[in-house]
């Protein structure tokens, strides 16, 4: 099978929303009047972001999910995406599963594949997503990293640390029971982009981003862009590890046993969570709760924004914790 047959067979579908889809030199997207295009790219590299032997269906899901997560963080409605793919060879079973996983998530979000590039080479997947954000009275409704104000509450969606827990277990660094690993693996391999929550937080959140490299480092981006500091309630955040809410013993079997410090490290430095971290003023607590409810996404308050620069970590008693945690950095 050649390059063009491969594209036609696995990636070409009739355009619905786009003015022109796969098959010409460019795709054409018509932004609606009164909207801005939100654009973001994310690349997944074999051996770095995923294991070569990972289920291709979950890989297709994750490649798009991490990109949709960026749209979610901006409060953008997904429209379309392009797919640049480097493949070591033509493995039709692999391609069928990969494109199934990809299109299942794309269809769930009404986001269509409008173009891309296909070459031979080491397995590498680069997706660019396009989303739509309304402009109201000349003002973009996009959620940005800047905009957090002293006194704002700090929230995170969903659960934290489970993806890293699964990765550490798969790498043999920690040992967890199979049923716990199965749950945590879903978070690692099939994250749920929080698109509905991002949309519901327009006009409510003062700043937002998605947690991809780890809570501490990603929070640092909000603090830097907003020129503020924060106090983070570490135990509230650590309680969000879903795997740790399994009882320590199930069916008389050891399932999970992590020290407090290990749990804190998973949550603060873990990465791959694809949850939304956002701030909102305290008078909008009711509105945040309503946004969580309409989007059916749990949201937890885990701290507050301060005027004093820097990040302060406090435990459940309010005592200061030493700040020795760092997020993932590809070149650090
Ligand atoms: P060009 O050489 O003009 O850049 P290509 O020959 O690379 O175009 O691609 C042909 C068409 O197939 C283009 O419309 C391109 O967007 C699309 N395409 C290529 N690879 C993919 C892919 N992996 N997924 C979706 N569309 C693709
Ligand atoms: Mg061309």
């Amino acid at each position: 099978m050649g390059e063009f047959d491969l594209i036609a067979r696995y990636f070409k579908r009739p355009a619905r929303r786009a003015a022109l889809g796969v098959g010409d030199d460019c795709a054409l997207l018509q932004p609606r009047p009164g909207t801005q295009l939100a654009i973001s790219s994310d690349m997944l590299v074999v051996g770095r972001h995923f294991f070569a032997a990972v289920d291709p269906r979950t890989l297709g899901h994750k490649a798009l999910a991490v990109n949709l997560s960026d749209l979610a963080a901006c409060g953008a409605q997904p429209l379309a995406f392009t797919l640049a793919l480097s493949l070591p060879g033509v493995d039709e079973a692999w391609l069928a599963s990969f494109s199934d996983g990809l299109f299942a998530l794309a269809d769930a979000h009404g986001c269509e594949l409008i173009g891309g590039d296909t070459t031979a080479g080491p397995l590498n997947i680069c997706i660019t997503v396009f989303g739509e954000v309304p402009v109201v009275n000349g003002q973009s409704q996009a959620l940005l990293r800047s905009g957090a104000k002293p006194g704002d509450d700090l929230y995170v969606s969903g659960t934290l640390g489970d993806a890293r827990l699964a990765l550490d277990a798969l790498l043999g660094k920690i040992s967890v029971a199979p049923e716990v690993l199965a749950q945590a693996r879903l978070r690692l391999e099939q994250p749920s982009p929080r698109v509905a929550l991002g949309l519901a937080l327009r006009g409510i959140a003062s700043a937002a981003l998605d947690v991809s490299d780890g809570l501490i480092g990603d929070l640092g981006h909000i603090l830097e862009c907003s020129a503020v500091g924060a106090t983070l309630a570490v135990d509230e955040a650590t309680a969000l590890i879903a795997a740790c809410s399994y009882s320590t013993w199930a069916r008389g079997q050891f399932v999970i046993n992590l020290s407090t410090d290990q749990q804190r490290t998973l949550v603060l430095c873990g990465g791959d969570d694809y949850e939304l971290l956002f701030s909102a003023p305290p008078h909008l607590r009711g509105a945040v709760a309503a946004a969580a409810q309409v989007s059916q996404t749990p949201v937890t308050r885990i701290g507050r924004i301060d005027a004093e620069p820097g990040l302060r970590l406090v435990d459940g008693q309010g005592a200061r914790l030493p700040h020795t945690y760092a997020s993932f950095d590809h070149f650090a």
Side-chain angles (χ1 to χ4, degrees):
M1 167 175 297
E3 176 187 338
F4 301 101
D5 295 332
L6 185 160
I7 295 165
R9 175 106 192 235
Y10 295 105
F11 300 113
K12 184 168 176 162
R13 294 160 120 210
R16 277 175 292 175
R17 204 189 307 225
L20 184 66
V22 169
D24 213 304
D25 291 308
C26 289
L28 297 173
L29 259 190
Q30 178 68 62
R32 290 188 301 177
T35 65
Q36 290 177 327
L37 275 184
I39 303 163
S40 180
S41 295
D42 259 305
M43 183 152 62
L44 296 188
V45 178
V46 68
R48 179 143 287 263
H49 298 98
F50 60 92
F51 300 111
V54 75
D55 175 356
R57 185 181 304 272
T58 68
L59 186 60
H61 173 103
K62 185 166 178 176
L64 182 58
V66 302
N67 279 279
L68 290 175
S69 179
D70 285 313
L71 291 183
C74 272
Q77 174 71 54
L79 292 178
F81 66 105
T82 61
L83 169 67
L85 196 57
S86 163
L87 296 170
V90 179
D91 176 341
E92 291 212 50
W94 190 95
L95 279 162
S97 293
F98 175 83
S99 63
D100 271 0
L102 181 81
F103 283 124
L105 185 66
D107 291 346
H109 289 278
C111 189
E112 65 185 351
L113 178 58
I114 55 170
D117 196 23
T118 307
T119 77
L123 184 57
N124 186 16
I125 304 154
C126 183
I127 287 181
T128 299
V129 276
F130 302 85
E132 190 177 70
V133 180
V135 178
V136 179
N137 298 324
Q139 188 89 16
S140 171
Q141 300 297 292
L143 306 177
L144 304 179
R145 296 175 176 193
S146 53
K149 297 277 183 304
D152 283 356
D153 295 317
L154 188 63
Y155 300 86
V156 72
S157 65
T159 71
L160 291 172
D162 294 285
R164 179 57 180 268
L165 180 117
L167 179 64
D168 285 353
L170 292 171
L171 292 171
K173 293 185 185 169
I174 56 173
S175 122
V176 299
E179 59 265 46
V180 175
L181 178 57
Q183 285 301 314
R185 241 180 125 147
L186 284 176
R187 299 283 297 142
L188 176 67
E189 295 177 351
Q190 295 184 78
S192 307
R194 302 302 193 183
V195 173
L197 178 64
L199 295 175
L201 287 172
R202 281 180 191 160
I204 297 170
S206 49
L209 55 50
D210 66 318
V211 182
S212 55
D213 293 332
L215 183 62
I216 290 252
D218 287 323
L219 174 55
H221 298 312
I222 288 186
L223 302 188
E224 195 183 346
C225 295
S226 300
V228 292
T231 302
L232 184 66
V234 171
D235 291 344
E236 260 88 332
T238 303
L240 297 176
I241 307 176
C244 291
S245 64
Y246 282 75
S247 60
T248 307
W249 294 83
R251 291 187 274 109
Q253 231 187 341
F254 167 76
V255 294
I256 191 165
N257 185 15
L258 297 174
S259 69
T260 302
D261 193 56
Q262 280 177 308
Q263 294 186 34
R264 286 174 178 165
T265 303
L266 287 178
V267 157
L268 297 176
C269 320
D272 257 359
D273 297 303
Y274 302 104
E275 295 294 352
L276 296 190
L277 176 66
F278 62 96
S279 58
H283 74 268
L284 293 181
R285 278 182 193 173
V288 170
Q293 195 164 29
V294 297
S295 62
Q296 299 188 313
T297 311
V299 154
T300 307
R301 191 146 50 88
I302 56 164
R304 63 148 205 274
I305 300 294
D306 304 326
E308 186 188 345
L311 176 60
R312 287 153 292 282
L313 305 180
V314 297
D315 69 11
Q317 276 70 53
R320 282 287 286 273
L321 293 168
H323 187 343
T324 53
Y325 302 94
S327 277
F328 185 73
D329 178 332
H330 279 281
F331 297 104

